[in-house]
Amino acid sequence: MNERRECIRSEVTRLAQLAGDPETLDPASMEYLSAETWNLLDAFGKRIILTQAITTQALFECVSPQGAER
């Protein structure tokens, strides 16, 4: 359990650094929302969506058989 928790923490950190600031993020790189929807969000909304996307991606990565080996 601790290994997965540490995997998730490190993966969230890595993905957040790759994503950068939500205000400067290219909307085309958001696979979860259209550019139109992304651009309608305020800074807080962008941070919430990006946080959720990063956390979800980290969870899937760390519970997959390949990710759990990290």
Side-chain angles (χ1 to χ4, degrees):
M1 185 68 149
N2 286 336
E3 295 87 17
R4 281 199 179 140
R5 187 174 295 142
E6 186 53 41
C7 175
I8 293 167
R9 280 189 194 127
S10 64
E11 189 66 10
V12 164
T13 300
R14 184 183 78 77
L15 291 170
Q17 289 172 344
L18 285 174
D21 183 3
E23 289 296 303
T24 61
L25 188 67
D26 177 10
S29 69
M30 281 301 295
E31 38 188 274
Y32 309 102
L33 296 172
S34 68
E36 295 82 26
T37 303
W38 181 255
N39 288 328
L40 290 174
L41 295 171
D42 63 3
F44 181 74
K46 288 178 180 177
R47 290 183 191 285
I48 293 289
I49 295 296
L50 188 58
T51 299
Q52 186 61 46
I54 286 171
T55 303
T56 301
Q57 191 172 349
L59 287 168
F60 278 109
E61 180 64 31
C62 292
V63 298
S64 70
Q66 300 88 344
E69 296 172 1
R70 302 204 281 143

